[in-house]
Structure formats: C-alpha cells, structure tokens
Amino acid sequence: MTERQVVTGPRRPRRRARRPATSDIDEQTRLGDVYLRGLMRTQLRLGLTVALSTLGLLAVLPVVFALAPGTTTPTIAGIPVPWLLLGAGVYPLLVGAAWLYVRQSERVEREFTDLMDRR
C-alpha cells in the first residue's frame, strides 16, 4: 500500500475583508461625507433646475400677454384666453415638472446606489 500525499499550492496571504461603502456613510467618515455631499449637491442642482425652468416658463406668459396686446382679446366660452392659460393651463406644466423631477431624482439615487454597490 502506498502512502497518500497532500498536494497544496503556495500559501497566499489572506485578503482583507472588504468593507461595504455604506459603512463609510454609517460611520460618518470623511469619505462617507464626500459621498453624501455629492448626492445632496446633485439633488439640489436637479431641484433648482426644475424649479427655475418651471418658474421661467410661468413668468414668460404674462410677459407675452403684455408685449403682444392682441393675445389678451380672444375668449373661449366668454373667458379671456390669458385667464384660461394662467388658471388652468398651468397645472399640466406643474404636473409635468413634478413627474420629471421624480424620474430624475430616482435616477440619481439609483446611480448613487450602484456606486455604493460597486465599491
């Protein structure tokens, strides 16, 4: 009967366990602060962009009515068109801006989560 031999490879140093990136955020380290500030800055930029764009579009309507006096005379069902646009036409714009903001905000958060998972 022959003797058994155990064949092993060279010993490798053990890898350090990887810390999840979220632990930097949980432990409030400098790196975690950088991650959070980046996320908050992106969300703030998105919010300001959507808000200023919406306000800009809303501010254009009175300017158009003031600069083009012919736009104030037409009526629909006895109600002047500018009143209809400012009273009812604004809501689809606001709903669209809100929908856009939510979609983009979710995209930013998804990218942030992917970044944390890759690290």
Side-chain angles (χ1 to χ4, degrees):
M1 189 164 226
T2 62
E3 190 175 315
R4 287 185 163 196
Q5 288 185 341
V6 177
V7 179
T8 60
R11 293 202 178 248
R12 296 182 190 153
R14 294 192 98 168
R15 288 186 184 171
R16 239 178 70 207
R18 286 183 62 184
R19 284 179 10 161
T22 54
S23 67
D24 288 323
I25 295 170
D26 294 338
E27 295 170 6
Q28 298 178 350
T29 64
R30 272 192 197 168
L31 184 58
D33 284 345
V34 169
Y35 286 138
L36 281 180
R37 264 192 259 123
L39 174 64
M40 289 169 51
R41 194 172 334 152
T42 304
Q43 291 286 21
L44 177 64
R45 189 175 333 135
L46 173 64
L48 288 175
T49 301
V50 171
L52 292 176
S53 300
T54 304
L55 288 174
L57 287 172
L58 292 176
V60 166
L61 285 174
V63 171
V64 168
F65 299 142
L67 294 178
T71 59
T72 59
T73 54
T75 61
I76 298 176
I79 302 171
V81 171
W83 282 100
L84 282 175
L85 284 176
L86 290 173
V90 168
Y91 292 105
L93 174 69
L94 294 176
V95 168
W99 177 81
L100 176 71
Y101 175 75
V102 169
R103 296 270 313 222
Q104 294 302 315
S105 179
E106 287 173 347
R107 179 188 58 83
V108 166
E109 289 174 5
R110 196 171 37 252
E111 288 174 358
F112 181 76
T113 304
D114 291 344
L115 174 70
M116 292 293 105
D117 289 343
R118 278 189 307 221
R119 185 180 168 264

